[in-house]
C-alpha cells in the first residue's frame, strides 16, 4: 500500500507541476498583445490565487496543524484517558530496524471499549524494547481509551511517549518551503516573460499559473477522497470503540455490484434490538475477498455493533 501511494503521488505530481508548463511552453506562442479583457484576466488571477491559497493552507493543516492537534490529544488521553487492561491475542513482526534496535510490530488486542463491550482491534507500532517480549501473544498490557469517541486516536498504550520525528518535521518544512517557492516562482517568471506592460492580461484558463493549480487541487481531492478511504474507515472505528454489541437476525445478504480491486461489495440487511429493547433494521456494506465469500453467513444470526446514539449505523466486527 505504501509503495502504491508513493507511485501515484509521483505520477500525479508530474501532471500537477512539470506537465502543464511543458505543454504550454511547447504549444503556445509568446503573445505580444493582451489575450483577454482586463476583467476576465483579473478574474483568472483571483481564481488562481484562491486555488493556490487553498492548496498551501491544506498542506499546512495536514503537515503541521493536524500533527500538533494529535500530539495534544495524546497528551490529553495520558492525563484523562479511561484505563483498560488489554490481552494480546496475536503478534506479528513486520520489520526489524537494526539501526535503532527496534521492531515494527502488529498486534491484535482484546479489551472493553467505552461501553464495556469487549472488542478486538489490530494496531501497528514500534517496540523500542523488543528484548522484553512485552507484546508476545497471551501477555497483557495497559491501554488508555480516548473519552471523546469522536476524536482520533481512539486509544493509546499507557506508557506511550509523545514527541516529534525530527527528520520527518524537517522534510515537511522543506516540502512546504519548496511549494511556496514554486508558486511565487510561477507567478514571477510568467509575469516577467509575458506581461509586456499589459499586466496580467496574458492569463487564460490553460495557462500554467491557473491550470497547474487546478491539477494540484485535483491531486489533493484524489488523495482525500480515495486514498483516505482506503487507509482507514473512521465511522467503523468510532462504532468499534464506543458502540454496543447485539445479536442480529440476518434478513438478506447480497452483492451490490460494486467491485473494489476486483473484490465485491456485500450488503447485509439485519434486524436487532438495542439495549433499550427497541427493534431496528439496518444495512451494512463491506468489501469482501472472493476467498471469503463462501464463508459469509447467509441466514441465522450474526454479532454486530451499533452506534448507541444512532442505531441505524452498524458494523460487523467478526466473521466477515
Amino acid at each position: 500500500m505504501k509503495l502504491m501511494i508513493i507511485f501515484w503521488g509521483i505520477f500525479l505530481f508530474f501532471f500537477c507541476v512539470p506537465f502543464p508548463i511543458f505543454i504550454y511552453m511547447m504549444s503556445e506562442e509568446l503573445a505580444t498583445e493582451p489575450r483577454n479583457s482586463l476583467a476576465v484576466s483579473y478574474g483568472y488571477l483571483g481564481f488562481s490565487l484562491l486555488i493556490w491559497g487553498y492548496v498551501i493552507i491544506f498542506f499546512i493543516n495536514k503537515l503541521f496543524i493536524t500533527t500538533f492537534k494529535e500530539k495534544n490529544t495524546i497528551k490529553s488521553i495520558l492525563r484523562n484517558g479511561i484505563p483498560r487492561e488489554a490481552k494480546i491475542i496475536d503478534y506479528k513482526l513486520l520489520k526489524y530496524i537494526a539501526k535503532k534496535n527496534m521492531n515494527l510490530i502488529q498486534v491484535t488486542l482484546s479489551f472493553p471499549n467505552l461501553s464495556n463491550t469487549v472488542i478486538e482491534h489490530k494496531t501497528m507500532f514500534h517496540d523500542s524494547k523488543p528484548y522484553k517480549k512485552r507484546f508476545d501473544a497471551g501477555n497483557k498490557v495497559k491501554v488508555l481509551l480516548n473519552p471523546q469517541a469522536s476524536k482520533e486516536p481512539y486509544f493509546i498504550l499507557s506508557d506511550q511517549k509523545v514527541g516529534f520525528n525530527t527528520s520527518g518535521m524537517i522534510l515537511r518544512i522543506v516540502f512546504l518551503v519548496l511549494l511556496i517557492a514554486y508558486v511565487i516562482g510561477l507567478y514571477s517568471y510568467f509575469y516577467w516573460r509575458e506581461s509586456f506592460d499589459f499586466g496580467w492580461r496574458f492569463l487564460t484558463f490553460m495557462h500554467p499559473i491557473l491550470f497547474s493549480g487546478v491539477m494540484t487541487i485535483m491531486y489533493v481531492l484524489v488523495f482525500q477522497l480515495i486514498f483516505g478511504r482506503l487507509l482507514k474507515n473512521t465511522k467503523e472505528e468510532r462504532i468499534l470503540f464506543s458502540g454496543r454489541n447485539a445479536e442480529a437476525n440476518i434478513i438478506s445478504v447480497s452483492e451490490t455490484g460494486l467491485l473494489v480491486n476486483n473484490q465485491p461489495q456485500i450488503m447485509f440487511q439485519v434486524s436487532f434490538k438495542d439495549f433499550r429493547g427497541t427493534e431496528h433494521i439496518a444495512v451494512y456494506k463491506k468489501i469482501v475477498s472472493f476467498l471469503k465469500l463462501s464463508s459469509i453467513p447467509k441466514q441465522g444470526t450474526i454479532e454486530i455493533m451499533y452506534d448507541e446514539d444512532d442505531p441505524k449505523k452498524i458494523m460487523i466486527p467478526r466473521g466477515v
Side-chain angles (χ1 to χ4, degrees):
M1 178 65 76
K2 185 177 180 180
L3 290 176
M4 183 180 73
I5 292 175
I6 292 173
F7 169 78
W8 283 108
I10 295 172
F11 180 79
L12 291 171
F13 174 79
F14 170 77
F15 280 95
C16 292
V17 179
F19 183 71
I21 297 175
F22 176 77
I23 293 296
Y24 178 81
M25 299 291 281
M26 293 299 293
S27 60
E28 288 284 339
E29 294 183 2
L30 190 62
T32 57
E33 295 181 355
R35 290 183 175 138
N36 288 304
S37 67
L38 191 64
V40 171
S41 298
Y42 277 92
Y44 282 140
L45 178 63
F47 185 46
S48 70
L49 290 171
L50 284 175
I51 287 176
W52 283 116
Y54 175 83
V55 169
I56 291 171
I57 291 171
F58 170 82
F59 281 110
I60 289 174
N61 180 60
K62 284 293 180 183
L63 297 178
F64 299 100
I65 296 176
T66 300
T67 302
F68 283 102
K69 283 182 178 179
E70 288 179 355
K71 182 181 178 182
N72 290 334
T73 300
I74 292 173
K75 285 183 176 180
S76 175
I77 297 173
L78 287 170
R79 292 192 305 268
N80 308 311
I82 300 172
R84 292 285 192 268
E85 186 175 67
K87 182 178 180 180
I88 300 171
I89 298 175
D90 185 53
Y91 167 92
K92 185 183 293 183
L93 175 63
L94 300 178
K95 183 180 180 181
Y96 172 63
I97 306 170
K99 289 183 179 180
K100 298 182 179 180
N101 190 28
M102 185 182 294
N103 288 343
L104 176 63
I105 64 174
Q106 177 180 282
V107 296
T108 303
L109 302 174
S110 174
F111 54 88
N113 70 1
L114 291 173
S115 299
N116 286 315
T117 299
V118 177
I119 62 171
E120 293 181 6
H121 180 68
K122 284 185 180 180
T123 185
M124 289 190 302
F125 55 86
H126 290 93
D127 181 9
S128 59
K129 300 176 182 178
Y131 56 88
K132 289 189 174 183
K133 299 185 181 298
R134 296 177 298 166
F135 302 105
D136 286 356
N139 288 352
K140 293 183 178 180
V141 293
K142 302 289 186 182
V143 300
L144 295 171
L145 301 184
N146 188 346
Q148 299 183 49
S150 60
K151 287 187 177 182
E152 296 183 79
Y154 299 106
F155 82 102
I156 61 172
L157 297 175
S158 60
D159 59 351
Q160 184 166 326
K161 299 294 187 292
V162 184
F164 289 121
N165 183 328
T166 305
S167 59
M169 290 300 292
I170 291 173
L171 287 175
R172 294 180 185 198
I173 292 171
V174 169
F175 171 80
L176 186 62
V177 169
L178 290 175
L179 175 63
I180 294 173
Y182 166 73
V183 174
I184 293 173
L186 196 64
Y187 280 90
S188 301
Y189 172 74
F190 281 106
Y191 186 84
W192 167 80
R193 181 177 182 266
E194 299 184 344
S195 64
F196 293 107
D197 296 327
F198 293 111
W200 296 97
R201 296 177 70 179
F202 59 89
L203 285 177
T204 64
F205 181 79
M206 295 304 295
H207 195 282
I209 287 178
L210 181 55
F211 192 64
S212 180
V214 171
M215 294 298 291
T216 304
I217 236 173
M218 289 176 64
Y219 165 94
V220 167
L221 291 176
V222 165
F223 270 75
Q224 277 187 305
L225 299 178
I226 298 178
F227 288 105
R229 291 182 180 181
L230 287 175
L231 290 174
K232 61 182 179 180
N233 191 326
T234 304
K235 184 180 76 172
E236 286 197 6
E237 287 190 339
R238 188 164 59 246
I239 295 174
L240 181 68
F241 282 95
S242 63
R244 292 176 176 268
N245 65 338
E247 196 78 12
N249 295 310
I250 298 174
I251 298 174
S252 66
V253 178
S254 59
E255 293 188 29
T256 64
L258 176 66
L259 292 176
V260 178
N261 293 329
N262 291 322
Q263 295 180 333
Q265 185 185 61
I266 305 299
M267 181 174 69
F268 298 82
Q269 187 177 35
V270 300
S271 65
F272 67 96
K273 289 184 178 181
D274 63 22
F275 74 102
R276 298 183 182 91
T278 305
E279 189 164 357
H280 303 274
I281 294 178
V283 170
Y284 175 70
K285 298 177 182 179
K286 187 175 180 69
I287 306 299
V288 178
S289 167
F290 275 111
L291 298 175
K292 293 184 177 180
L293 281 179
S294 60
S295 63
I296 292 176
K298 305 293 192 303
Q299 56 187 359
T301 60
I302 190 170
E303 182 187 355
I304 67 161
M305 294 191 68
Y306 64 92
D307 187 333
E308 184 178 329
D309 298 323
D310 186 2
K312 296 290 184 182
K313 296 178 180 178
I314 69 169
M315 67 165 293
I316 300 176
R318 302 183 186 91
V320 177

